[in-house]
Amino acid sequence: MFTGALTADLLLGDVHSLKGKRAVVRPIVAELRRRFAVAAAEVGDLDLHRRVQVGVATVAGDAGQVTDVLDACERLLAERPEVTLLSTHRQLFSDSD
C-alpha cells in the first residue's frame, strides 16, 4: 500500500478579503475531491488573503497510480486561471517504511 501527499502553494488573483479567498478556494478543493477521489483541504496560509496552501492525499496499491493521481491534481491546479501555482512538495510513503 502506498500513500501520497501533495502540498501546493498558490497565489490567488484579484482577492481582497478572506471571504473572497474562500469563494476561490472552496470550488478548487471540491473539484479535486470530486474528479480524483482524493482527500483535499486548505492546509496553510489561512490568515493571508492572496496566498493558500492546498493539501492533497491519496492511497493506492501501486506507487505508479499514486504518482499519476498526484500528477493529475497538480495539472488541475496549474491550469486554473484564477490562481498561480508557485510550488509543490510531494511525499510518497509505503507500508514498509
Side-chain angles (χ1 to χ4, degrees):
M1 179 175 68
F2 294 89
T3 304
L6 171 73
T7 304
D9 189 16
L10 305 172
L11 178 66
L12 304 180
D14 191 27
V15 174
H16 301 290
S17 68
L18 293 176
K19 185 177 180 180
K21 176 182 179 178
R22 268 193 318 274
V24 173
V25 173
R26 275 188 187 172
I28 293 171
V29 169
E31 185 173 1
L32 286 167
R33 290 176 181 164
R34 187 184 76 251
R35 285 183 61 183
F36 304 112
V38 296
E42 180 181 357
V43 296
D45 295 329
L46 300 175
D47 57 343
L48 302 175
H49 66 272
R50 291 208 56 223
R51 293 286 293 271
V52 64
Q53 287 184 357
V54 173
V56 176
T58 188
V59 177
D62 178 36
Q65 185 176 1
V66 170
T67 301
D68 291 346
V69 170
L70 295 180
D71 286 344
C73 291
E74 187 174 339
R75 275 193 305 276
L76 182 138
L77 293 170
E79 293 170 354
R80 295 294 293 226
E82 67 272 24
V83 300
T84 303
L85 181 61
L86 299 176
S87 67
T88 61
H89 176 74
R90 288 185 187 209
Q91 292 180 300
L92 181 64
F93 304 98
S94 73
D95 58 353
S96 62
D97 286 346

